Amino acid sequence: MSLSLGPIVMLAALTGCGVGNSSNAGSQNGVNGTSPGEASTQVNGQTLAQVKKSGELKIGTEGTYAPFTYHNSQEQLTGFDVELAQQVAKQLGVKADFVETPWDGMFAGLNDKRFDMIANEVGITSDRQKSFLFSNPYIRSASVVIVRANDNKIHSFKDLQGVSVAQSLTSNYAAQAKANGAKITDVQGFNEAIQLVKSGRAEATINDKLSFLQMQKQNPNMGLKIAATANDSTPCGFMFRKDEGDLQTAVNAALHTLIQNGTYDKISDKYFGTNVLK
């Protein structure tokens, strides 16, 4: 992908595909157990009909999580999730209207109806499925342990026992770190986590593999490395309120079309050089 050099690639928040269960990509059945044909019971939120009537699909995203959602050198919002969401909106016959929101307020913003869906490489987890709907997966990625380049003590997730790791408390990765006995140092995003690891104030951080590799590509002398990679990749999807089954169904259909007509492959290749759903 083409990212501008500089701080933008250092701003990735600890939000992406963390620990989750695998599901079948490309299927027209929703990963949360809701069938595509299931109608929603809408109370106050914007239904699919209202989205089409307004001509806009309001989408919550960070804008600081390269290469998924970030600002380029011209300060334009772009990224893998942004471009894919724009194409989804196009399939629905509406315009994508992005509402940039800090990660820690993202889910609340969705529940408060500030936007209709979230596009921010959100990991599909069983806990989240209790409160939200997800689209079919559009990306799969593994979590990794990131340490200083000269660190020879950490080689696996189990080696995080008793180790200080920098994590956002609301991320999937914090739960993964705790499960491996790590001591959590709370941070607001990936930039802060990276700085803590580089300075030695934290020994490691867990984050998304694709995001770190893109950062490392743009900053080869950053002095960090991947010490361990999770065995299982995690699916991520667009997120909706629990009562928005109609919108979920329409987005699933749009994703299916984009995958079938090659649009998905073009966007994925642009940012990662490969299909990140396989």
Side-chain angles (χ1 to χ4, degrees):
M1 71 162 282
S2 39
L3 274 176
S4 59
L5 295 176
I8 195 70
V9 295
M10 296 297 291
L11 292 173
L14 291 169
T15 63
C17 292
V19 181
N21 298 321
S22 297
S23 56
N24 294 325
S27 168
Q28 286 302 295
N29 289 323
V31 295
N32 45 44
T34 303
S35 65
E38 181 178 340
S40 66
T41 301
Q42 178 61 32
V43 181
N44 296 314
Q46 185 167 252
T47 64
L48 175 61
Q50 290 170 323
V51 167
K52 291 189 173 183
K53 183 177 180 180
S54 69
E56 291 184 336
L57 177 65
K58 293 188 179 297
I59 304 168
T61 196
E62 279 183 283
T64 57
Y65 184 33
F68 305 101
T69 163
Y70 68 100
H71 287 260
N72 61 22
S73 58
Q74 287 77 45
E75 292 302 319
Q76 299 169 322
L77 181 66
T78 189
F80 175 77
D81 282 53
V82 171
E83 288 201 28
L84 187 60
Q86 288 172 329
Q87 289 298 319
V88 165
K90 184 177 180 181
Q91 287 294 317
L92 298 182
V94 299
K95 176 184 177 182
D97 180 15
F98 293 96
V99 181
E100 294 183 51
T101 305
W103 171 253
D104 285 346
M106 193 76 69
F107 294 1
L110 182 62
N111 275 331
D112 290 342
K113 302 179 176 64
R114 292 185 57 224
F115 28 84
D116 307 308
M117 80 175 195
I118 295 174
N120 210 90
E121 205 212 12
V122 183
I124 302 171
T125 68
S126 58
D127 284 344
R128 288 173 180 167
Q129 287 174 318
K130 294 174 183 177
S131 303
F132 299 95
L133 298 180
F134 282 92
S135 70
N136 292 331
Y138 62 84
I139 192 169
R140 294 178 183 275
S141 184
S143 57
V144 294
V145 178
I146 303 165
V147 301
R148 291 183 296 280
N150 61 357
D151 187 308
N152 296 312
K153 299 181 299 181
I154 299 174
H155 304 283
S156 70
F157 283 81
K158 292 182 179 180
D159 291 335
L160 294 178
Q161 178 71 41
V163 169
S164 173
V165 299
Q167 307 293 155
S168 169
L169 292 180
T170 58
S171 72
N172 301 336
Y173 304 118
Q176 192 173 13
K178 290 177 183 177
N180 284 279
K183 296 184 295 184
I184 307 296
T185 298
D186 185 23
V187 296
Q188 295 302 308
F190 198 23
N191 187 40
E192 185 179 353
I194 289 297
Q195 294 306 319
L196 260 62
V197 175
K198 289 179 68 174
S199 67
R201 288 180 288 165
E203 295 179 70
T205 184
I206 301 176
N207 200 248
D208 175 75
K209 180 180 180 180
L210 294 175
S211 186
F212 176 75
L213 290 177
Q214 185 59 43
M215 182 195 303
Q216 189 178 52
K217 178 181 178 181
Q218 298 297 323
N219 299 271
N221 300 316
M222 63 192 304
L224 300 176
K225 67 179 181 181
I226 292 176
T229 302
N231 293 327
D232 297 328
S233 62
T234 303
C236 297
F238 298 123
M239 179 187 277
F240 313 91
R241 288 183 294 275
K242 196 71 172 179
D243 57 359
E244 289 294 352
D246 54 350
L247 186 56
Q248 174 207 36
T249 297
V251 170
N252 277 342
L255 279 173
H256 181 73
T257 298
L258 295 173
I259 291 170
Q260 293 299 312
N261 68 17
T263 300
Y264 177 88
D265 280 333
K266 290 180 181 178
I267 298 174
S268 184
D269 186 67
K270 173 181 177 181
Y271 286 94
F272 304 106
T274 188
N275 184 315
V276 291
L277 185 55
K278 295 179 179 179

